[in-house]
Amino acid sequence: MRRYLFVFLSLSCATGLRAQNVPDTLRWKGEEQSMYSSMAGYMSIRERMMLTEINRMRSNPALYAEFASVYLAQLEAGLQAPPTDLTLIVKKEMAPGFYVDDTLRGRRIFEDDIRSTRELIAQLQSIPPLPPLVPDPCLYRAARAHGSFLQSAGDLSHIGTGGSDIWQRINSEACFSFSSCAENLVAYRESIRQTVLDLLIDAYVPTRIHRKIMLDPGFNKAVCAEAGRVGRYPSAWVMNLVH
């Protein structure tokens, strides 16, 4: 049995000069609309949109390579004159389970983003379509409960109520058996499409673990719970995946 525990992506910009969001253009295909409608009983509109967007990426990686190319062009334009007051804070793992804030500034931010985005584009252009992720109300309860805990704690963490890890949280709610699980935490972007791109680009995370999870063909169930503001982090999300 596999368990994932990894550093989460957290982006904080001091100015508005960072590359802008890739627009959310929502043109549903028939199967996307059907899955979107099936979540209506327990997921919000934005939560349904997020999972549908992830499935769009998995079903057509080459299309998402085009979205990433738009973002890359914006980054490359910004690199010509990077603002000195641009700041990004990431979580850096110093020891298993122990994280500290690492602050990046100015040109280094653009260079790291550009390197990771180019890498992502090449990967998306080379992989076949992936199976869709099917939502589940029991899995959603686990994600929703962890989001509420994070709000009360005021910080993003994979450690939950009573010191629980992702496996324990999902297992306590699951109405089904599973052999592997993963959790992505991400914040700061209002745009759904840009949030998905951030997880795929996975800049400043050497293992690219968020990207690996998003592109893992083995996962077959997933949910997205929007936690909103968590401490200093706006637009936070909890994403749980299993198979």
Side-chain angles (χ1 to χ4, degrees):
M1 295 185 293
R2 292 180 294 157
R3 305 188 192 190
Y4 290 106
L5 180 61
F6 45 85
V7 61
F8 54 81
L9 184 68
S10 55
L11 302 175
S12 177
C13 298
T15 76
L17 297 178
R18 188 177 171 82
Q20 299 300 304
N21 291 332
V22 176
D24 289 333
T25 303
L26 301 175
R27 296 188 180 93
W28 306 122
K29 296 184 294 185
E31 62 271 24
E32 290 177 335
Q33 183 64 59
S34 176
M35 183 171 289
Y36 175 87
S37 299
S38 73
M39 305 178 229
Y42 55 94
M43 294 174 73
S44 72
I45 292 174
R46 277 177 52 82
E47 289 167 343
R48 286 180 272 159
M49 290 170 62
M50 178 65 80
L51 185 54
T52 303
E53 187 72 15
I54 292 171
N55 276 327
R56 170 180 289 172
M57 175 275 296
R58 286 172 64 94
S59 68
N60 194 345
L63 174 63
Y64 246 76
E66 295 180 15
F67 296 159
S69 295
V70 172
Y71 184 61
L72 176 63
Q74 296 175 345
L75 287 171
E76 290 176 331
L79 183 59
Q80 301 307 311
T84 57
D85 60 343
L86 186 62
T87 300
L88 182 145
I89 301 174
V90 298
K91 291 289 187 180
K92 184 176 182 180
E93 188 172 23
M94 303 300 293
F98 176 66
Y99 303 94
V100 298
D101 285 349
D102 186 21
T103 301
L104 307 178
R105 301 183 187 279
R107 179 172 290 271
R108 184 181 168 195
I109 293 175
F110 286 93
E111 290 173 344
D112 286 354
D113 254 339
I114 286 172
R115 186 182 307 110
S116 302
T117 305
R118 286 174 176 165
E119 174 191 293
L120 170 66
I121 292 169
Q123 184 173 354
L124 291 176
Q125 290 173 336
S126 67
I127 63 175
L130 303 169
L133 300 169
V134 179
D136 180 88
C138 299
L139 188 61
Y140 179 74
R141 285 200 299 270
R144 178 82 269 165
H146 189 53
S148 297
F149 170 79
L150 296 180
Q151 280 186 320
S152 63
D155 196 11
L156 293 176
S157 173
H158 292 293
I159 305 301
T161 305
S164 64
D165 62 23
I166 176 180
W167 186 276
Q168 293 167 328
R169 291 193 296 274
I170 294 176
N171 196 50
S172 68
E173 296 285 356
C175 308
F176 52 85
S177 60
F178 62 96
S179 60
S180 179
C181 60
E183 179 174 85
N184 273 344
L185 304 180
V186 63
Y188 278 107
R189 300 282 198 181
E190 178 67 20
S191 163
I192 286 173
R193 178 161 297 161
Q194 191 63 55
T195 298
V196 174
L197 274 173
D198 282 345
L199 286 166
L200 289 169
I201 292 168
D202 217 6
Y204 327 107
V205 182
T207 61
R208 303 286 189 262
I209 187 62
H210 304 85
R211 183 192 304 173
K212 289 177 181 177
I213 288 171
M214 298 283 279
L215 299 178
D216 189 331
F219 289 120
N220 55 17
K221 293 180 185 291
V223 294
C224 304
E226 187 170 20
R229 173 166 288 278
V230 173
R232 62 177 176 167
Y233 306 103
S235 302
W237 290 84
V238 177
M239 303 177 185
N240 285 172
L241 307 88
V242 301
H243 71 72

